[in-house]
Amino acid sequence: MRITRMLGAAALLFGLTVTPAVADASPSPSASGDDSAPTSAGTSFRTATEVDQGQRATASASTGDYLYWSFPADAGQRPTVRATVKLPATHAAQTWQVDVYDGLRRRQSCQYGAQTRTAEQGSATVELACVLRTVRAWSEPWANDPLPGTYYIRLTALNLTTADLGQPVNASVRVGSKDIGGSAAVDGSLAKPLVPGIAVSSQSDSEDGDTSKAAVLSSIEPDGGWTSGWWSDRWVWTGIGAVLAALAGIGGYALTRGSGRPSRVPPGA
C-alpha cells in the first residue's frame, strides 16, 4: 500500500510538471489582422523591413527586384518562413527562391520545404517555404549553426526573360516558429545575440552611458526579450529524474528492511 501511494504521487508530479513543457512546444500564436504589419520590403540587408514572428508582411514590387525582411529568432526555436507571390496575368515560366541569412549574413540551409519553385506560364501564384534548423544558444566559431539574433529573408526571381522584367507582383511573407525545448539545449550561451549594431551599442553605453549614440541597426526582439538559452525544459526533466530516483530509493528500502522484528527469538529472552 505504501509503495502504491508513492508511485501515485510520482505519477501526479510527473503529469503536473510535463504539462507546461508540452504547452511550450506548440507553435507560436498567429497574429493575423495586425494593423502594424509591414506593407513594404527593403532592397538590401541594411534596409530590410523588420517583421515580428506571427505577422504577415506584404509588399508590392516588380519582377527582378530583391525583397528583404528581417525577423528575430531565439535559442530553442525552429523558424519556418513562408512566402507567397502573386504573379501578373500573363508571364512566362518563372523560378522564385527564398533565402534566409543569419545576423552574420551567413546563408542558412533549410531542413525541408520548397525553397525554390517554378511557376509555369499563366500561373497565378507561387508558394515557397523554408524550415530552418533549430537555433542554438551557442556554437563553435567554425560552425555554421543558427544562433540567436536577427535573421534576413531574401525573396527574388531567378533567370527571368526580358519580357517579364519589371512586371508588377505582390509578395507576402510570414514567419512562425516551434519551440523545440530541452532536446536542443546546449551548455553555453552567447554574450550578445547576433543583432547588427548591438556590439556598437554596448560599447557606447559602457564608455559614456549615452544611449542616444547607440547605432543598433535592428530594434526587434522576441516576446519577453532574449533568453540566450538560460532556461530549457531540460531542468524540468532533471527534476523529475531526481524525484523518481528518490522515490525508488525509498521504495527499495521499504521492501528490503523487513518487518523490523527478528525472525527467531533467542532462548531465555
PDB file of all heavy atoms in Angstrom, residues 22-36:
ATOM      1  N   VAL A  22       4.965  20.572 -22.460  1.00  0.00           N
ATOM      2  CA  VAL A  22       4.274  20.229 -23.692  1.00  0.00           C
ATOM      3  C   VAL A  22       3.621  21.457 -24.306  1.00  0.00           C
ATOM      4  O   VAL A  22       3.607  21.651 -25.511  1.00  0.00           O
ATOM      5  CB  VAL A  22       3.227  19.131 -23.408  1.00  0.00           C
ATOM      6  CG1 VAL A  22       2.387  18.854 -24.638  1.00  0.00           C
ATOM      7  CG2 VAL A  22       3.924  17.853 -22.943  1.00  0.00           C
ATOM      8  N   ALA A  23       3.077  22.319 -23.441  1.00  0.00           N
ATOM      9  CA  ALA A  23       2.450  23.535 -23.960  1.00  0.00           C
ATOM     10  C   ALA A  23       3.459  24.431 -24.644  1.00  0.00           C
ATOM     11  O   ALA A  23       3.167  25.075 -25.639  1.00  0.00           O
ATOM     12  CB  ALA A  23       1.774  24.289 -22.811  1.00  0.00           C
ATOM     13  N   ASP A  24       4.705  24.473 -24.116  1.00  0.00           N
ATOM     14  CA  ASP A  24       5.720  25.324 -24.716  1.00  0.00           C
ATOM     15  C   ASP A  24       6.121  24.859 -26.097  1.00  0.00           C
ATOM     16  O   ASP A  24       6.657  25.626 -26.883  1.00  0.00           O
ATOM     17  CB  ASP A  24       6.973  25.361 -23.825  1.00  0.00           C
ATOM     18  CG  ASP A  24       6.705  26.118 -22.543  1.00  0.00           C
ATOM     19  OD1 ASP A  24       5.716  26.860 -22.512  1.00  0.00           O
ATOM     20  OD2 ASP A  24       7.472  25.945 -21.585  1.00  0.00           O
ATOM     21  N   ALA A  25       5.896  23.567 -26.416  1.00  0.00           N
ATOM     22  CA  ALA A  25       6.319  23.037 -27.698  1.00  0.00           C
ATOM     23  C   ALA A  25       5.354  23.361 -28.820  1.00  0.00           C
ATOM     24  O   ALA A  25       5.593  23.017 -29.961  1.00  0.00           O
ATOM     25  CB  ALA A  25       6.479  21.512 -27.593  1.00  0.00           C
ATOM     26  N   SER A  26       4.247  24.022 -28.520  1.00  0.00           N
ATOM     27  CA  SER A  26       3.276  24.350 -29.548  1.00  0.00           C
ATOM     28  C   SER A  26       3.774  25.519 -30.379  1.00  0.00           C
ATOM     29  O   SER A  26       4.555  26.339 -29.918  1.00  0.00           O
ATOM     30  CB  SER A  26       1.934  24.706 -28.904  1.00  0.00           C
ATOM     31  OG  SER A  26       2.097  25.799 -28.030  1.00  0.00           O
ATOM     32  N   PRO A  27       3.323  25.609 -31.646  1.00  0.00           N
ATOM     33  CA  PRO A  27       3.781  26.707 -32.498  1.00  0.00           C
ATOM     34  C   PRO A  27       3.394  28.061 -31.944  1.00  0.00           C
ATOM     35  O   PRO A  27       2.488  28.193 -31.128  1.00  0.00           O
ATOM     36  CB  PRO A  27       3.079  26.418 -33.836  1.00  0.00           C
ATOM     37  CG  PRO A  27       2.710  24.972 -33.780  1.00  0.00           C
ATOM     38  CD  PRO A  27       2.467  24.670 -32.330  1.00  0.00           C
ATOM     39  N   SER A  28       4.116  29.101 -32.406  1.00  0.00           N
ATOM     40  CA  SER A  28       3.833  30.458 -31.958  1.00  0.00           C
ATOM     41  C   SER A  28       2.439  30.882 -32.377  1.00  0.00           C
ATOM     42  O   SER A  28       1.963  30.520 -33.447  1.00  0.00           O
ATOM     43  CB  SER A  28       4.866  31.422 -32.569  1.00  0.00           C
ATOM     44  OG  SER A  28       6.162  31.051 -32.169  1.00  0.00           O
ATOM     45  N   PRO A  29       1.732  31.663 -31.549  1.00  0.00           N
ATOM     46  CA  PRO A  29       0.365  32.066 -31.900  1.00  0.00           C
ATOM     47  C   PRO A  29       0.343  32.970 -33.110  1.00  0.00           C
ATOM     48  O   PRO A  29       1.274  33.728 -33.370  1.00  0.00           O
ATOM     49  CB  PRO A  29      -0.102  32.796 -30.641  1.00  0.00           C
ATOM     50  CG  PRO A  29       1.143  33.224 -29.952  1.00  0.00           C
ATOM     51  CD  PRO A  29       2.156  32.167 -30.247  1.00  0.00           C
ATOM     52  N   SER A  30      -0.747  32.912 -33.832  1.00  0.00           N
ATOM     53  CA  SER A  30      -0.899  33.727 -35.031  1.00  0.00           C
ATOM     54  C   SER A  30      -1.232  35.155 -34.654  1.00  0.00           C
ATOM     55  O   SER A  30      -1.862  35.418 -33.633  1.00  0.00           O
ATOM     56  CB  SER A  30      -2.002  33.134 -35.918  1.00  0.00           C
ATOM     57  OG  SER A  30      -2.335  34.002 -36.965  1.00  0.00           O
ATOM     58  N   ALA A  31      -0.801  36.072 -35.497  1.00  0.00           N
ATOM     59  CA  ALA A  31      -1.089  37.487 -35.262  1.00  0.00           C
ATOM     60  C   ALA A  31      -1.800  38.074 -36.465  1.00  0.00           C
ATOM     61  O   ALA A  31      -1.514  39.165 -36.914  1.00  0.00           O
ATOM     62  CB  ALA A  31       0.201  38.249 -34.979  1.00  0.00           C
ATOM     63  N   SER A  32      -2.734  37.304 -37.023  1.00  0.00           N
ATOM     64  CA  SER A  32      -3.447  37.750 -38.208  1.00  0.00           C
ATOM     65  C   SER A  32      -4.307  38.956 -37.883  1.00  0.00           C
ATOM     66  O   SER A  32      -4.827  39.098 -36.782  1.00  0.00           O
ATOM     67  CB  SER A  32      -4.327  36.611 -38.745  1.00  0.00           C
ATOM     68  OG  SER A  32      -5.230  36.187 -37.749  1.00  0.00           O
ATOM     69  N   GLY A  33      -4.448  39.830 -38.857  1.00  0.00           N
ATOM     70  CA  GLY A  33      -5.241  41.022 -38.656  1.00  0.00           C
ATOM     71  C   GLY A  33      -4.524  42.125 -37.911  1.00  0.00           C
ATOM     72  O   GLY A  33      -5.141  43.096 -37.482  1.00  0.00           O
ATOM     73  N   ASP A  34      -3.222  42.022 -37.758  1.00  0.00           N
ATOM     74  CA  ASP A  34      -2.456  43.040 -37.067  1.00  0.00           C
ATOM     75  C   ASP A  34      -2.266  44.234 -37.991  1.00  0.00           C
ATOM     76  O   ASP A  34      -1.665  44.135 -39.058  1.00  0.00           O
ATOM     77  CB  ASP A  34      -1.098  42.458 -36.659  1.00  0.00           C
ATOM     78  CG  ASP A  34      -0.320  43.403 -35.778  1.00  0.00           C
ATOM     79  OD1 ASP A  34      -0.825  44.513 -35.524  1.00  0.00           O
ATOM     80  OD2 ASP A  34       0.775  43.031 -35.327  1.00  0.00           O
ATOM     81  N   ASP A  35      -2.755  45.396 -37.550  1.00  0.00           N
ATOM     82  CA  ASP A  35      -2.660  46.604 -38.374  1.00  0.00           C
ATOM     83  C   ASP A  35      -1.231  47.111 -38.497  1.00  0.00           C
ATOM     84  O   ASP A  35      -0.927  47.895 -39.392  1.00  0.00           O
ATOM     85  CB  ASP A  35      -3.546  47.709 -37.792  1.00  0.00           C
ATOM     86  CG  ASP A  35      -5.025  47.347 -37.850  1.00  0.00           C
ATOM     87  OD1 ASP A  35      -5.388  46.531 -38.715  1.00  0.00           O
ATOM     88  OD2 ASP A  35      -5.790  47.883 -37.028  1.00  0.00           O
ATOM     89  N   SER A  36      -0.350  46.684 -37.589  1.00  0.00           N
ATOM     90  CA  SER A  36       1.026  47.167 -37.620  1.00  0.00           C
ATOM     91  C   SER A  36       1.916  46.334 -38.531  1.00  0.00           C
ATOM     92  O   SER A  36       3.121  46.573 -38.594  1.00  0.00           O
ATOM     93  CB  SER A  36       1.610  47.156 -36.205  1.00  0.00           C
ATOM     94  OG  SER A  36       1.655  45.833 -35.682  1.00  0.00           O
TER      95      SER A  36
END
